[in-house]
Amino acid sequence: DLPGTGTLLRNLNPEQYAAVTLGPEPSLILAGAGSGKTRVLTTRIAWLLSTGQVSPGGLLAVTFTNKAAKEMLTRLSAMLPIAVRGMWIGTFHGLCNRFLRAHWKLAGLPQSFQILDSGDQLSAVKRVIKAMGLDEQRFVPKQVTWFIAGSKEDGQRPKDVEARDPQTRKMIEIYEAYEAQCQREGVVDFAELMLRTYELMRDNASLREHYQRRFRHVLVDEFQDTNRLQYRWLKVFAPPQAPDGAGPQGVFAVGDDDQSIYAFRGAQVGNMADFEREYHVRQVIKLERNYRSFGNILDSANALIAHNAHRLGKNLRTEAGPGELVRIGEHPSDYAEAQWLLDEAQALHRSGVARSEIALLYRSNAQSRVLESALFNAGIPYRVYGGLRFFERAEVKHALAYLRLIENPHDDTSYLRVVNFPARGIGARTIELLQDAAKVGTQSLYQSVGAVAGKGGNNLAAFNALIDGLRERTRGLTLREIIGQVLAASGLVDFYRTEKEGAERIENLEELVNAAESFVTQEGFGKDAVALPVDETSPGAIAGSPVGAAADIPAPDAETGEIQSPLAAFLTHAALEAGDNQAQAGQDALQLMTVHSAKGLEFDCVFITGLEEGLFPHENSLSDGDGLEEERRLMYVAITRARQRLYLSFSQTRMLHGQTRYNVKSRFIQELPEGALKWLTPKHQGFGSGYAREYQSAWSRGSGLGSVVGMGRVEGRPTYAAPPPPPMLQKAREAEHGLRIGQTVFHNKFGEGVIVTLEGSGSDARAQVNFGRHGAKWLALGIAKLTPVD
Ligand code: ATP
Ligand code: MG
């Protein structure tokens, strides 16, 4: 052991040890889930720092999510007594933001440029389409947005995109106009952050050399999910051939081809092979021991992923023993599934598992709604990652728009959002006039107000005066005070006071003040903020400084050393933040997220819900083999999140996008080893027997006839007493369709069956019929033709 690093390296196995202590050469660690890739990467950073091989400012580390970046900083500060804040550790977007803040002038951006989140971006694209007089039916804003993002992720500006056909040619024109509009307004979207940074590094030799010399070590986690542009980005910061006299740069990439789940967004798993070749990696290190999960969980993951043909090939083993069986269960409906899950989670919590150690995973965001409402009704704290984020809620975005205008009045997206919100007599006609005037003079809306005459013009001028006044009045105030002033002076709070459901919105606005407050304390802004120690090798670029955490906090201006105001930094943070503000900070809450956002994380107990054909694997993936393999990798990611206990569940019916769907269980279930599973419901009998029936009572949708959930508890275990529906209600049900429970009916496809359950009314009426050989089916009575036999 090197002196002083004993404790750091003691808990590594030989392969991990070898990886951590590799020399400054390009390295690739290829290893399965839970084998310690992230741990190796983090330990390597700590080792490099503690042995003095690199200074905090000489390190660049990229992770995929804000959560992962924070996690890494936390782990790091636990290992080393250094100030990790201000280190270049963050997401690609966060690091690009930091870079562009430092070099805004060279990048051709205004100093106070703002970041467009996906919602803003869509409305910006819509404005362009409208201004060009194009039809939204032919140029669907969402598709145009994808086109633009896709082009940027391929490193293509409008002039680089091939105009294959007239439609594409028009799209390129929109792309061009969109770029011009963003530039005029001083805003950048997420893909632009990456592309701008890449281009500036590519085109500016002295800057490139500076950073290549500066970053002695560059580390990338989850390398399998980098897209083409991200890989090129890596190559400009740490090229295979270091500049003359700069000495070797350590490039350390870790990844798992079996966890590549972003192909749909342009991720190139082939980047791993390219990296190995282009960087002349001498030896790919593999880690095969899994430290996260027990044997049954791991066996399930291994068996599942073995069904994929395109793999680099590796297996995982554990020495932890088999552990518990993987629990699996079938439910009559998504609602019943949610009820069951909620009870199970509560039981786990009562037995001592922290809520934050229980994850509820689902394939699609839309699935969270039913889970959320069940949790909400039961008063169980939960937190959703990657859903509708706090900063994306309408009222919060309104408040942020005012704040952004204080920073930069030329931000037309924000201007349009609030110029007449709350209403101040500025109609659509006035705004059209203003937009026309702005277009002629190629100026911002704010600048063009003088061109609009009459009452509308006066009202616009008053709005400008409001913004200017706020800017004057809030100068030098704390973030909290600024937001307070804005909420009052904008009229937002007064407006929501008069609204019927405004109370919750006002709460969210108050929460914004809290968010600002915790931003200030966490990130070191505010009165205690210390002057930045400037990295001597680069005027203006910060070394490991006490100010700023992760990469949300940008470096100061490279020339002047000026740093962003707390307000500007907070606005950046708001645009980059991935939903961490959902539940109250610090509260122990169940963790809800899509499988995609669970990447890299781990929990004691994991529920994977909605294992149904069409949902998981997703129906969009079923047409081609590649799509199905990506879904399987996604399932592999989901399974391998669990440390101790894994639950799988599926349901026969599900409300999605306003429709009831009747589902078949996912093929992935068949791909799991029988010996590792424990069925909570009878396995082949399908529905209608034993356990599943217990949950019928929980299935009520408030569709008029649905009975109230009958739920009781016996000795702390959840039970589902199934009270028979009151006789009157039962009568009503029978009368409506002329069907009754116990009746034998004939169905064209499934033949004869017995009605087990009748639910709902009108177009929502449904029956559960046991068809013997075909098993039990839920049928929508409005569609299915059931002929009484007896
Ligand atoms: P994923 O592919 O899911 O991102 P990973 O390969 O990055 O997984 P880590 O998250 O680094 O894996 O590690 C998984 C778990 O195993 C962590 O809790 C980590 O602390 C633990 N672990 C890793 N290596 C060891 C070890 N040598 N001794 C004890 N625990 C370890
Ligand atoms: Mg990891």
Side-chain angles (χ1 to χ4, degrees):
D1 280 9
L2 284 147
T5 58
T7 44
L8 207 62
L9 304 179
R10 193 183 301 144
N11 296 324
L12 299 172
N13 68 34
E15 294 76 34
Q16 292 177 330
Y17 184 97
V20 165
T21 55
L22 278 170
E25 61 192 85
S27 327
L28 179 61
I29 315 300
L30 172 66
S35 60
K37 293 182 300 299
T38 303
R39 180 170 167 138
V40 160
L41 189 137
T42 312
T43 311
R44 180 169 168 83
I45 296 177
W47 177 74
L48 289 169
L49 290 169
S50 68
T51 52
Q53 298 182 64
V54 71
S55 69
L59 241 154
L60 176 71
V62 192
T63 66
F64 253 76
T65 60
N66 288 320
K67 202 166 157 55
K70 286 200 178 119
E71 175 77 22
M72 190 166 290
L73 288 168
T74 313
R75 286 197 203 179
L76 213 61
S77 46
M79 290 184 201
L80 283 183
I82 59 156
V84 292
R85 296 180 152 191
M87 286 181 61
W88 286 66
I89 296 180
T91 62
F92 278 110
H93 292 140
L95 292 167
C96 290
N97 171 57
R98 166 181 285 207
F99 178 85
L100 293 174
R101 294 287 169 196
H103 304 292
W104 55 274
K105 214 178 267 168
L106 287 175
L109 289 168
Q111 184 168 21
S112 58
F113 75 84
Q114 293 290 322
I115 299 166
L116 289 185
D117 67 19
S118 44
D120 292 336
Q121 193 192 1
L122 191 63
S123 63
V125 165
K126 280 186 185 156
R127 275 193 285 127
V128 174
I129 293 174
K130 189 150 171 254
M132 291 174 74
L134 296 171
D135 180 5
E136 281 202 7
Q137 305 291 327
R138 265 196 67 200
F139 299 93
V140 181
K142 262 226 163 83
Q143 284 170 3
V144 174
T145 310
W146 288 333
F147 174 81
I148 294 173
S151 304
K152 288 185 180 182
E153 269 152 26
D154 277 339
Q156 296 186 315
R157 291 293 177 190
K159 64 173 172 29
D160 307 316
V161 185
E162 190 198 343
R164 273 167 275 124
D165 46 60
Q167 174 83 7
T168 314
R169 199 165 306 134
K170 245 325 167 283
M171 295 278 256
I172 296 171
E173 277 175 40
I174 302 176
Y175 179 10
E176 209 165 3
Y178 168 79
E179 277 199 327
Q181 175 179 298
C182 288
Q183 191 62 31
R184 203 165 54 238
E185 298 177 6
V187 294
V188 297
D189 59 39
F190 283 131
E192 185 70 28
L193 284 172
M194 283 292 309
L195 185 53
R196 256 310 148 129
T197 303
Y198 166 71
E199 288 174 343
L200 181 53
M201 280 290 281
R202 182 195 60 193
D203 300 338
N204 187 316
S206 65
L207 205 60
R208 188 170 63 241
E209 247 183 58
H210 164 74
Y211 278 99
Q212 289 178 357
R213 278 173 204 281
R214 171 187 173 155
F215 292 128
R216 304 315 317 140
H217 286 272
V218 177
L219 305 96
V220 188
D221 199 2
E222 309 273 7
F223 188 68
Q224 75 279 355
D225 276 327
T226 49
N227 64 28
R228 209 167 282 155
L229 181 58
Q230 286 162 338
Y231 183 48
R232 286 203 225 162
W233 186 100
L234 174 69
K235 286 203 285 188
V236 287
F237 276 94
Q241 284 297 320
D244 285 344
Q249 237 177 333
V251 188
F252 192 83
V254 308
D256 177 5
D257 58 308
D258 287 334
Q259 295 187 69
S260 151
I261 54 175
Y262 280 101
F264 74 101
R265 264 206 222 149
Q268 305 272 320
V269 74
N271 284 346
M272 300 201 356
D274 289 352
F275 179 82
E276 193 181 341
R277 198 184 61 249
E278 294 177 2
Y279 281 82
H280 306 290
V281 174
R282 280 190 297 157
Q283 181 204 351
V284 178
I285 293 193
K286 296 197 176 185
L287 311 172
E288 301 213 309
R289 174 160 170 200
N290 174 295
Y291 287 89
R292 180 180 293 146
S293 317
F294 280 105
N296 284 318
I297 296 172
L298 217 53
D299 288 349
S300 302
N302 282 334
L304 177 96
I305 200 68
H307 286 81
N308 269 6
H310 304 290
R311 301 180 63 207
L312 297 178
K314 58 193 151 35
N315 232 349
L316 284 173
R317 63 190 161 75
T318 176
E319 283 166 30
E324 299 178 349
L325 292 170
V326 173
R327 292 164 165 80
I328 181 165
E330 174 174 14
H331 303 278
S333 71
D334 51 347
Y335 186 88
E337 183 186 43
Q339 288 294 326
W340 159 80
L341 191 151
L342 178 158
D343 275 307
E344 203 63 42
Q346 284 292 74
L348 284 170
H349 181 56
R350 275 195 303 274
S351 71
V353 183
R355 289 207 172 94
S356 58
E357 279 300 337
I358 303 174
L360 317 184
L361 307 184
Y362 36 83
R363 171 66 182 83
S364 307
N365 255 318
Q367 281 170 260
S368 81
R369 195 196 47 78
V370 62
L371 295 176
E372 282 192 69
S373 78
L375 291 167
F376 181 81
N377 290 334
I380 300 172
Y382 66 92
R383 183 185 297 234
V384 185
Y385 291 88
L388 188 62
R389 313 181 307 193
F390 174 75
F391 286 116
E392 284 175 0
R393 294 182 190 153
E395 61 279 14
V396 174
K397 291 202 71 164
H398 284 130
L400 289 174
Y402 280 98
L403 293 168
R404 288 167 75 137
L405 288 173
I406 292 180
E407 269 296 309
N408 168 18
H410 309 300
D411 177 348
D412 285 357
T413 304
S414 297
Y415 196 95
L416 285 174
R417 178 179 276 278
V418 291
V419 64
N420 197 39
F421 192 96
R424 28 181 91 84
I426 298 169
R429 179 78 197 119
T430 303
I431 290 180
E432 238 166 68
L433 287 172
L434 180 64
Q435 282 178 308
D436 289 345
K439 208 155 63 188
V440 173
T442 57
Q443 287 186 318
S444 70
L445 298 174
Y446 169 85
Q447 286 169 309
S448 311
V449 161
V452 182
K455 188 153 160 290
N458 291 341
N459 290 342
L460 285 172
F463 177 71
N464 277 12
L466 170 72
I467 298 297
D468 293 341
L470 272 170
R471 185 178 312 109
E472 284 306 315
R473 251 185 303 150
T474 55
R475 193 159 285 153
L477 297 187
T478 65
L479 200 45
R480 186 191 183 94
E481 290 162 343
I482 297 175
I483 297 178
Q485 292 247 359
V486 165
L487 293 183
S490 63
L492 280 177
V493 169
D494 285 340
F495 172 80
Y496 287 121
R497 278 219 182 94
T498 62
E499 271 233 306
K500 220 164 70 214
E501 289 172 16
E504 192 192 325
R505 295 183 185 269
I506 290 179
E507 271 174 26
N508 281 332
L509 290 177
E510 283 160 1
E511 186 62 30
L512 183 64
V513 179
N514 295 338
E517 190 91 331
S518 72
F519 174 75
V520 166
T521 40
Q522 272 176 29
E523 318 290 328
F525 272 101
K527 57 178 176 352
D528 297 334
V530 191
L532 293 165
V534 169
D535 180 348
E536 64 291 350
T537 58
S538 140
I542 40 176
S545 85
V547 177
D552 280 11
I553 304 303
D557 181 318
E559 281 169 31
T560 65
E562 182 180 349
I563 74 164
Q564 268 191 303
S565 69
L567 174 58
F570 176 65
L571 290 172
T572 302
H573 165 77
L576 291 173
E577 181 67 46
D580 288 359
N581 269 299
Q582 273 268 344
Q584 281 147 287
Q587 194 180 11
D588 185 30
L590 293 183
Q591 311 279 302
L592 269 68
M593 65 193 87
T594 62
V595 182
H596 279 103
S597 22
K599 192 168 78 150
L601 306 180
E602 57 187 24
F603 307 90
D604 286 344
C605 305
V606 169
F607 290 83
I608 307 173
T609 63
L611 282 169
E612 295 135 34
E613 283 293 298
L615 200 59
F616 200 178
H618 197 275
E619 54 204 355
N620 296 347
S621 75
L622 295 178
S623 53
D624 69 304
D626 287 352
L628 186 62
E629 292 216 343
E630 174 138 327
E631 291 291 308
R632 199 176 275 112
R633 290 193 294 269
L634 201 51
M635 181 67 181
Y636 174 81
V637 169
I639 292 175
T640 53
R641 297 311 95 199
R643 289 198 195 99
Q644 292 166 13
R645 189 181 280 195
L646 176 63
Y647 292 91
L648 309 176
S649 70
F650 57 102
S651 98
Q652 298 184 329
T653 66
R654 179 174 300 278
M655 278 289 275
L656 257 192
H657 313 302
Q659 282 181 331
T660 304
R661 299 161 48 132
Y662 298 81
N663 298 314
V664 179
K665 68 170 177 275
S666 169
R667 73 189 70 195
F668 295 154
I669 292 174
Q670 260 95 316
E671 297 175 359
L672 302 177
E674 197 58 49
L677 305 181
K678 172 180 172 179
W679 282 83
L680 301 175
T681 50
K683 192 188 153 201
H684 292 299
Q685 279 159 303
F687 183 75
S689 49
Y691 178 90
R693 193 160 41 214
E694 279 187 55
Y695 290 99
Q696 283 175 29
S697 65
W699 194 36
S700 65
R701 257 187 215 297
S703 52
L705 291 175
S707 58
V708 179
V709 182
M711 213 166 60
R713 274 177 214 296
V714 181
E715 292 171 337
R717 296 277 324 147
T719 61
Y720 293 86
M728 251 172 52
L729 286 182
Q730 211 162 8
K731 276 251 169 54
R733 275 182 206 182
E734 289 166 14
E736 194 180 341
H737 339 282
L739 298 172
R740 62 188 158 75
I741 293 172
Q743 191 171 28
T744 305
V745 289
F746 181 80
H747 182 274
N748 273 342
K749 182 148 176 232
F750 304 118
E752 256 181 40
V754 178
I755 296 186
V756 189
T757 314
L758 287 167
E759 300 243 18
S761 61
S763 62
D764 201 27
R766 52 205 175 253
Q768 183 208 352
V769 185
N770 199 338
F771 286 107
R773 195 165 60 81
H774 290 283
K777 309 268 178 214
W778 276 100
L779 302 168
L781 294 179
I783 301 165
K785 242 183 111 75
L786 294 179
T787 324
V789 173
D790 56 357

